[in-house]
Structure formats: structure tokens, C-alpha cells
Amino acid sequence: MQFEQSNLFKAVQMQGIFSDSKHFADAIPKVSWEQACAQYEREMPEDLAAFVAQHFEFAPQPELAALNATSVKDYISQLWSRLERAPQAGNASSLLDLPASYTVPGGRFNEIYYWDSYFTALGLLDAGRTEQVSNMLDNFVSLIARIGHVPNGNRSYYTSRSQPPVTALMVSLLWQTHHRDQAWLQKVTEALQAEHAFWMAGSDKLNDELSESRRVVRMPCGGVMNRFWDDSAQPRPESYKEDIEAAALLEREHRAAFYRNIRAACESGWDFSSRWLDDPAQLCSINTVQRIPVDLNALLHQLEWQLSECYAALGQAQQSTHFLQLAQQRKRLIQAYLWDKEQGWFMDYHTALQTRTQVMSLAAVVPMFLGLASQLQAEAMMLRLEQDFLKAGGLVTTLTETDQQWDSPNGWAPLQWFAVKGLLNYGNQKLATSVARRWLAMLERDFEQHGCLLEKYNVVAPGVRAGGGEYLVQQGFGWTNGVTSRFYQLLES
């Protein structure tokens, strides 16, 4: 039974028993969801909160307990063990089993998140926790084998979508120490190929009559690029009430598209941003599936390149050449459709309008991070970064100020890392150092006041709590810890 379709689940969510819809989506039934739902249908209790307390419990959040940390470095060091979760089997909740221990972001996010894991892994490696990074990759391999992709997170309600594909980046983190192990190499190669097949599913069906299918889109030149998608067009269980209420503002025939676009934006990891909105002031104008995102296609280039490397290491030259050619073709498409010479910036592409969007975002630094920009392009982007994106606390997410959390004035750790590493790739150590120093100075001042690290920050006005989004800013926080740790390492080296 899908618990999110039950009358009990819908009643609890719509009555707002919990301020955060995700709380009940993650509830652990004391016996089973089936029994709780059957009991609810028999009793139709008036006191729904008491009924929930009788039949459900909730996972602990050890990372939220106070630490005796005297510095940001000390806090990060102490928190890693609190963010670690043991593998579970037979859990009756929405949590999917994993074969190895894993690290969660923290707060409301009490499960793995796909793209978060790469940035978290940077800090784990800095802390000497290489085995935990290996465990995280093993969990990805297991999920791909069972589901066909790494879901947004290891929850049953996340399986219809993924997130920016970073398994190849995880492989690259362990490559030097593991690639001579043929069993490991075979295992990760099979997983990467399966993930590639997931993102490219439907590409064989594209023709003159059908130009898009699931996550693939045929471009005007005939080449194939990718977009974010979700196979479901229903309200998200983890934001059920919010989605129902937002969709009520639309005509009935537009609600399914709204749900799919909301879910596709969640697959992007940028939930939500003016990148996906036709009207930056209106979430209901979300139109994610008509964007060709620069970050997604750059990461898929990395996936194809890593597959070429893996097959070369396995001695399979034909397969290695095949994926290298795919990577080279994708690079040409990124250059043709996503580089805006006038702006000096990589931009998303709007498929319906057949033009680049006008939203300038830090997604553009992912080609620099992965070495896909030319030196001239990188120099133009460095000028933009310093003049327009660099703020008191680091780099702002977009140049568009909205109520969405992935817009100005907020800054996010993963984007700081993509940018700093990208700048270093193209020889601009001065600007890279400036970004890292501003980020660390802001975190240290905030830590003195609050004693924790957060998932996002207001980089325009450090000290003002970051806002936007569907929930309160969360503390912990996996990817902030990882990137901050890496910045300390860079500045001290």
C-alpha cells in the first residue's frame, strides 16, 4: 500500500497537525501503515493528533543536541558522528533500506540526499573518514541496482525522481585509491552505465514528431540534451498541503503540470528558484521541464567522461571510445546552446521559446568546475563573478531577488565549492581565496551567535537569517560542513 494515498495521510496533512508536512511523511508506524490506516477508517477519530501519537513515532535527531564546540572546525569534527546513521532493514516507515552506514544532512533531512552526499564527502575525506565515503558510494550502487537510479533521497516517496548526478564525482574522489581493484571498478562502471541509461531513457524514441521524452530533449540541430523531470504528476507527500493549496490557485487542467514541474525542480536540487519560473514573482508559473539546465548537462558530461575512463581501465576500448564521443558531443551542445557571449555566462535554455533564459545563476560555474569552459569564457565569467555575484559573505545564488530560497540574497555551500574549484581550475587563486575567506568569515561570525552551521546563508547581509523556501532554515548541516572543511584545507595549504 502507498501510504500517501491513504485517507489518514491526507487528513493529517491537510489539517496541519505538523507545521512541516515532511514530518508525517517520515513517521515510523509502531506496527504498520496498513494497520494504522485500517484503525483510522474504523474509528474516524476526532482527536487526530492523539491518534497519530498512539500509532506513530519519529526518528531522533542527535545532531540538534548542543555541542561543546569552541570553533567552527571543532563543531564540524564533533558533528560527523552525530550525522551518521546505521544501515536499517525492515523499517516500516518510508525509509529505504541501505546496505552500509550513511551520513544525513541534518534537521528535517534525516535520510541521504543524493547530490548533498558529494559535498559532505569532501569534509569526510578531510576528517580521515574515507571508509564512510566508500560506504556512501556503495549505497548509491545498491540504489541504482534496485531502483535504476539514485533517488532524490532514500525515501519511498522520492523514487520517481533523482537529483543532479554526482555518482561519477564520488567515483573520482576514490579513484586513486580504488581503481586498480577490478571488482570495485566493475561494480562502479555497471552502476554509472545504469545511471546514464536512466537519464537517457526515451532518447531512442525521439524523432521529428516527438522532440522530448522524460528527461531527454532533441535540440533544433538534432542533438540530445537533458532536463529535469519526475515520472509522477501528483502532490509531493513531503509537501502535500503546500502543493494542494498552491495548485488550488490554478485551473484544474493545469494542476497536473504544476505538480510535475514542482517535482522536477526538486530533482534539480534548486527547489525553488527563478531559474524555473516564467514569472519570478509567482511559484505557480513554475516551468522546470521546459528548461535545459547548464549544471545538469555539465554533470552528465562528467558521467560520460568518467564512464570512458572506467572502460579504459577495464581494457574495453570500444566502450571507452563510445562514451568519450558522447562526452565530446555533449560539450559541443553545451557550447552551442548554453553559452551566451553577450552576457559572458552559461545560461539555461528555454525549449518552448528556443532561446536562452535571462536568469543569471551560479549553475553557470559548473562548466568551470568540470573544465568545460574555454579560457576566454572563464575570464569573462570571472569578471561577472567578481563584479556581480561576489557579496560580503560569498557568492549569491542568482542575481534575481525573490521569495525563493535558491535566489538572491541566499548563498549555498555547494555552489561556493563549484565556483572556488572552478576559479582554481582556470588560475584565479586570488578570487577563489576571496570567496572562501568571505564564506568562512561569515560562518564564524554566525557560529559565535548561534553555535551551529546552517544549510544556507544570507550572503548579501551576513547576520540576517536566510529566508525563502517551504520550511525553516535547517541546522547540521552536511554539505555546509563538508565545503567549509575543504575551504579551511585550501587556505591552510
Side-chain angles (χ1 to χ4, degrees), residues 75-126:
Y75 173 83
I76 292 171
S77 177
Q78 291 188 46
L79 201 65
W80 286 131
S81 59
R82 293 195 182 188
L83 292 171
E84 188 172 321
R85 301 289 184 267
Q88 300 183 31
N91 191 306
S93 73
S94 58
L95 198 65
L96 300 178
D97 295 345
L98 293 173
S101 64
Y102 54 100
T103 301
V104 303
R108 77 196 289 264
F109 304 110
N110 203 12
E111 58 277 307
I112 66 162
Y113 278 79
Y114 183 19
W115 79 311
D116 293 56
S117 297
Y118 165 69
F119 307 97
T120 300
L122 299 174
L124 290 169
L125 289 175
D126 291 343

Side-chain angles (χ1 to χ4, degrees), residues 425-437:
N425 288 344
Y426 289 86
N428 195 333
Q429 185 166 354
K430 181 180 177 182
L431 183 54
T433 299
S434 178
V435 173
R437 288 193 186 282

Side-chain angles (χ1 to χ4, degrees), residues 414-450:
L415 304 181
Q416 312 300 311
W417 171 246
F418 280 150
V420 166
K421 186 62 168 66
L423 288 165
L424 293 173
N425 288 344
Y426 289 86
N428 195 333
Q429 185 166 354
K430 181 180 177 182
L431 183 54
T433 299
S434 178
V435 173
R437 288 193 186 282
R438 291 178 190 223
W439 178 259
L440 293 178
M442 175 186 65
L443 259 65
E444 287 167 354
R445 288 195 300 270
D446 193 83
F447 180 82
E448 288 178 5
Q449 182 177 356
H450 298 107

Side-chain angles (χ1 to χ4, degrees), residues 211-265:
S211 61
E212 54 189 45
S213 175
R214 299 183 72 197
R215 292 168 177 81
V216 291
V217 178
R218 184 173 297 284
M219 306 302 288
C221 69
V224 176
M225 299 187 79
N226 288 80
R227 62 180 178 178
F228 292 113
W229 179 258
D230 191 300
D231 292 331
S232 175
Q234 299 292 325
R236 293 167 296 155
E238 76 279 14
S239 298
Y240 187 84
K241 187 173 188 284
E242 294 86 344
D243 283 359
I244 292 290
E245 291 177 347
L249 302 173
L250 300 170
E251 297 295 330
R252 187 173 298 275
E253 62 268 25
H254 298 307
R255 292 176 187 173
F258 170 77
Y259 294 140
R260 191 185 304 283
N261 278 290
I262 280 280
R263 285 167 166 264

